[in-house]
Amino acid sequence: DVLQDIHKVWFVTDHPDTDQNRNNPKATVVPYSNFAPQYLTQRGLQTGAPDSPNAAFQIVHDNGHMRVGCSTFSTGSFTVSSRPTTECFHVLEGAFFLTNANGSAQRCVAGDTVCLPKQWSGSWDVIAPVKKIWVEVK
C-alpha cells in the first residue's frame, strides 16, 4: 500500500559503460531513515526568486550515467527550462502542481510516481511541503 511507511529504498544498476567493481554496485539498499532532514544538504531557494521554495537533497548514488537521491521542497513556485536529464520520482509527502510548457497541469500528491523526460519544460507550484525519492538518467 502506498500509504504505508517505507523502511528502505533500493535500486539496481547495470550499465556496460561503468566500472562494476568500484562505482556501480549491482544492488544498493538505503535505509529510509537516511533521508531524515538532518541528513539532507540545504540548497536554499530553488531558483532565487522570492516565491521560490527552499530545497534540500541527498544523493546516494552517482555513477556518471544515473543518480539516485531524495529531495525536499518547501511551499513556493519555480520554473524548469529544458531538463538536461530524465527524472522519475515517487512522491513521499506533500502536494504540488506540475504545469507543462503548453499550459496543461496535473496535481501530484504523496503516492504518485512521475516521470519528467529529458528536455521537459514547465513549472512546479508546491502547495504542501514535498519529499520525493528520485532517479535521474542522462
Side-chain angles (χ1 to χ4, degrees):
D1 184 75
V2 296
L3 299 178
Q4 297 297 319
D5 289 341
I6 295 176
H7 299 285
K8 61 187 152 224
V9 175
W10 62 271
F11 57 92
V12 177
T13 58
D14 186 11
H15 195 286
D17 295 337
T18 60
D19 179 356
Q20 295 292 332
N21 297 321
R22 267 196 0 225
N23 299 324
N24 191 20
K26 284 290 193 176
T28 302
V29 178
V30 179
Y32 181 65
S33 60
N34 285 12
F35 299 134
Q38 65 268 28
Y39 301 121
L40 301 179
T41 300
Q42 297 300 313
R43 187 169 38 195
L45 293 178
Q46 179 65 15
T47 61
D51 64 341
S52 177
N54 279 304
F57 70 98
Q58 182 186 97
I59 297 171
V60 296
H61 180 77
D62 185 347
N63 66 12
H65 299 279
M66 177 184 88
R67 296 186 329 153
V68 178
C70 177
S71 295
T72 61
F73 300 101
S74 64
T75 57
S77 300
F78 63 97
T79 301
V80 175
S81 180
S82 193
R83 281 192 58 80
T85 60
T86 294
E87 178 187 19
C88 295
F89 58 88
H90 184 73
V91 182
L92 301 171
E93 301 172 12
F96 57 96
F97 286 91
L98 281 179
T99 304
N100 296 304
N102 68 5
S104 63
Q106 181 66 47
R107 184 174 192 265
C108 303
V109 297
D112 287 347
T113 301
V114 178
C115 189
L116 299 176
K118 187 174 184 175
Q119 304 302 314
W120 180 82
S121 294
S123 63
W124 288 64
D125 295 298
V126 181
I127 57 176
V130 168
K131 183 180 228 178
K132 65 177 185 168
I133 52 175
W134 49 264
V135 174
E136 287 183 345
V137 179
K138 288 187 175 181

